[in-house]
Amino acid sequence: MSLSPEEKAKTSEDFLKLKTTQRAKNSVGFSAIKNSVGQVAKYMNPAKALKLSFKINQKGGFDCPGCAWPDPDDERSSLGEYCENGIKAIAEEAQNKTIDAKFFKTYSVDELSTWSDFKIGKSGRLAEPMFLAKGEKHYQSISWEKAFKKVAQHLNALNNPDEAVFYTSGRTTNEAAFLYQLFVREFGTSNLPDCSNMCHEASGSALNETLGIGKGSVTLDDLYKAEVVMVVGQNPGTNHPRMLTALEKCKNNGGKIIAVNPLPEAGLLKFTNPQSPQKLLKGGTQIADVYVPITINGDVAFFKALLLKLLEKEETIGGVFNQDFINNFTSGYKAFIADLKQYNFNDCLKASGVTLSVFNEVFNLILNNKKIIICWAMGLTQHENAVDNIREIVNLLLLKGSIGKEGAGTCPVRGHSNVQGDRTVGIWESAPQAFLDKIEKKYGFKPTNKHGYSVIDAIKAMYENKAKVFFGLGGNFISAVPDTLYSAQALANCNLTVHVSTKLNRSHLVTGKEALILPCLGRTEKDYQKTGIQVQSVENSMGVVHTTKGVLEPCSKKIISEVAVVCGIAQATLKEKSKINWLQYQDNYSLVRDDIAEVVDGFKDYNKKLKQPAGFYLPNGARERIFKTKTGKANFSINKLPEWKLKTDELIMMTIRSHDQFNTTIYGLNDRYRGVFNERRIVFMNHDDMKQRHLKEHQIVNLKSDYNGVIREAHNFKVVAYNIPQNCCATYFPEANVLVPLSSFAHTAKTPASKSVKVTINAVK
């Protein structure tokens, strides 16, 4: 009997040999070096590894396929401008093994579905295109020509273009992303959901509304010069380890760091720079001057408490707010202050879960400094009130005049390496009309201005049979999205699912009636085309566009670039109906960049600018105090406290990454900074919450969420006592995604509320 889509989507519930120790008090250092070397030695050819280590994140080299943290504009470390998880990403992409038709003949889709995500990812690089026919259990080899024809047949058989969904992962380069959205728009739809919908969409919504640009306003140099850096809802020691170097430089220059997070993460406590022999021998740098153990989703309450105390000081002694900045550059100040006065300081502080003594430490730093940067990540963006979280941060910065000046501003820290660039060049289900007008002027067809599907909308449409083809350019869709069982059935309802990937993942096993796996080149590999080896480009978290060029030979002669995949499918689908010569782009990527320069703001002389060794900065109005909002100024906003209450037996759960993980890619089974080894099915709980429920360390439990009367369950997790605020708990994703309701998302942004899920926890009898 075949496994159901829901069974294929679920992660293995088998337990390994869980071991727990005290959490780490220091990060990186010798342990990171040891683990990096071990990962490389186990999965890569040593000669390839050495070659890559000198080119990763270097000028003229290739961009790490991991996070989007920016590279220094000037000199870069010759010892290695990368982090532990960066080298793990490289080891995964450039691993020794490849898998082809023989592998898929040996293992059925059902059997592969029973493997752990770790084992699936370590199966090897995909070496040739594969096709799963209707009713079959094994993928079979297919030629590229037939694969393109298969996609074209399904797309052209749709009743209308809106029955297709075109998803994009942040790994996609600017060139591939631009061509992809161009094809989708010429095909006739705006259904361009992407991974930004699941992470920083709330940031973009809030920042566009308040500052007129959906990106951060700071540069790497600003971080070095800040007087105060707040790191909120973020774990850079695991997710963006190179950020710790920037924070260390800030500290060395006299800056102060405030860490606001429910968990005391090792990277924000102490950092041992592996590029400094002296630090390796003598110990690291204390990062956080103040650690704020906030309750999950207590952020608006905490910032509102800060705002109330600052207002009190402004009204008594004056000089706290930057009134010149407020008068000249902002709108909505009086309404904001009037609303703020409706709140009570003690109520807000209590709702945040922060003690008065810790609050006062933070308050004094904010009160007495003017160059303030606030950084954040998923801890703020994955709540129903996520947009409010970001807007309240902006309110604080506006009051202090900490926008558009050196050492101050907003810093949303993006995850995947080009997720920001993809949006910049047009991967957007609700692109601005000005962008669509430029597409029409350049190419001669009129793109639809109908709002397309975001990720949440796309899943619902597939579930309801309103969308019948799913095409994924990169990523691991089923493991990234919420409501795993619902989403699995949604994909299964499709007539065709297609994934462009470098390696096997669970999404290839949760298929439509027919399925294709199209293997593509990785960032590490040379991209040979008719005009020679191609250079591509990406945009980092701080708006710098720069080149990426692989150095290794492709792992297989049967894999092609993402650009070639997009051009091949566009040509096969649109044929003579297209107004675009798709195959010329495949031969010469500089032609793609010439078009981007015409269509996308900020890319004039793209090919010329890209020759600058460190790349070039895109325009950023907020940096220059030019606010392209409806008012023409930076806007204060009015934000309510989140209105949610826990029942007596409920906890608020957030999903998090382990240290051996980047997004849905599992590099290993250890989370050594948190002291967890050999297991992922665990739930971190406060000791008092465990005691109230009569739970013991490593006890097996089931988790249940109830959202609007719909029950979701996750079975077989082990309890680990941890220093997390009472009434809160944390679990890893994707294992706990099954508990996250599809219908619980951020207002105006539709980012899944994966960081605030009400759950009950019960012992397995």
Side-chain angles (χ1 to χ4, degrees), residues 462-477:
M462 291 186 290
Y463 189 88
E464 296 175 352
N465 293 304
K466 295 177 182 177
K468 299 173 182 177
V469 172
F470 174 88
F471 191 104
L473 190 62
N476 181 2
F477 188 79

Side-chain angles (χ1 to χ4, degrees), residues 297-305 308 339 343-344 347-349 351-352 385 388-389 392 638-644:
N297 205 15
D299 305 282
V300 169
F302 179 69
F303 280 99
K304 208 170 279 293
L308 284 164
D339 178 77
Y343 291 90
N344 175 273
D347 291 342
C348 291
L349 188 63
S352 75
N385 56 288
D388 296 339
N389 287 337
E392 205 73 298
I638 293 174
N639 306 294
K640 298 179 180 179
L641 291 177
E643 297 178 358
W644 54 270

Side-chain angles (χ1 to χ4, degrees), residues 330-380:
T330 73
S331 175
Y333 173 73
K334 289 183 179 179
F336 162 71
I337 294 297
D339 178 77
L340 182 61
K341 288 182 176 181
Q342 305 303 308
Y343 291 90
N344 175 273
F345 169 78
N346 290 323
D347 291 342
C348 291
L349 188 63
K350 182 180 180 181
S352 75
V354 179
T355 65
L356 181 60
S357 61
V358 171
F359 171 86
N360 285 335
E361 289 186 74
V362 176
F363 173 71
N364 287 328
L365 287 174
I366 300 298
L367 175 68
N368 296 313
N369 291 282
K370 298 178 180 179
K371 292 183 177 182
I372 301 168
I373 291 175
I374 303 182
C375 309
W376 69 89
M378 303 304 92
L380 287 191

